[in-house]
Amino acid sequence: LADIFTKEERSKIMAGISGKETKPEILVRKFLFSKGFRYRKNVKDLPGKPDIVLPKFRTVIFVHGCFWHGHYQCKRASIPRSNNLFWDIKIKKNKERDKRNCLQLKRMGWHVITIWQCELKNQKIFTSTLDNLIRTLNST
Ligand SMILES: [Zn+2]
């Protein structure tokens, strides 16, 4: 990464690199698969290319990095002090895009579930997050 970023910024970027297969979404997929749920991934013809799509439940799941998607009141989502305005605008844009995608999906009749990276951060939190997810799916 370019040297225009400070150490703090760089570590935020590295923590949330939005590659095709980021680790948190793999964890969620593995869990769902182990529970017998079948899904499609990165469905390109749906708004926002949801990470996980469960057609049978008419449900899409986004697994969001807290920083890039501006998780509200989350420690991991604090805007770096340097280049503050740059990051502020960038993250705001991401959030607006997420909101638009979510609305569009709902209009198309999809249930939209967002799981945040910090909700998977340790075994205990991970388990309760995913138990909630299963409960939500079973009630749709
Ligand atoms: Zn978070």
Side-chain angles (χ1 to χ4, degrees), residues 21-113:
E21 292 280 324
T22 56
K23 218 174 147 206
E25 57 202 67
I26 291 176
L27 291 174
V28 176
R29 284 187 195 132
K30 276 189 176 160
F31 178 85
L32 286 172
F33 192 84
S34 75
K35 298 286 177 190
F37 290 91
R38 295 300 175 256
Y39 54 80
R40 295 171 60 205
K41 50 183 189 175
N42 302 114
V43 178
K44 288 192 184 69
D45 47 3
L46 287 178
K49 260 196 282 171
D51 298 305
I52 300 167
V53 177
L54 297 137
K56 206 178 132 189
F57 295 86
R58 194 111 186 124
T59 296
V60 304
I61 301 172
F62 289 99
V63 184
H64 276 347
C66 300
F67 177 62
W68 286 106
H69 296 270
H71 192 194
Y72 182 61
Q73 288 187 336
C74 174
K75 257 198 290 189
R76 297 179 182 211
S78 64
I79 300 291
R81 242 183 260 255
S82 51
N83 296 322
N84 190 275
L85 189 63
F86 167 80
W87 287 113
D88 196 46
I89 290 168
K90 189 162 185 61
I91 304 298
K92 267 191 191 131
K93 272 190 188 160
N94 287 348
K95 283 172 80 168
E96 276 162 22
R97 199 182 46 217
D98 289 342
K99 215 168 152 185
R100 259 198 323 270
N101 289 334
C102 181
L103 268 172
Q104 241 182 302
L105 284 160
K106 283 182 177 165
R107 268 191 222 119
M108 293 163 75
W110 290 91
H111 301 279
V112 180
I113 295 175

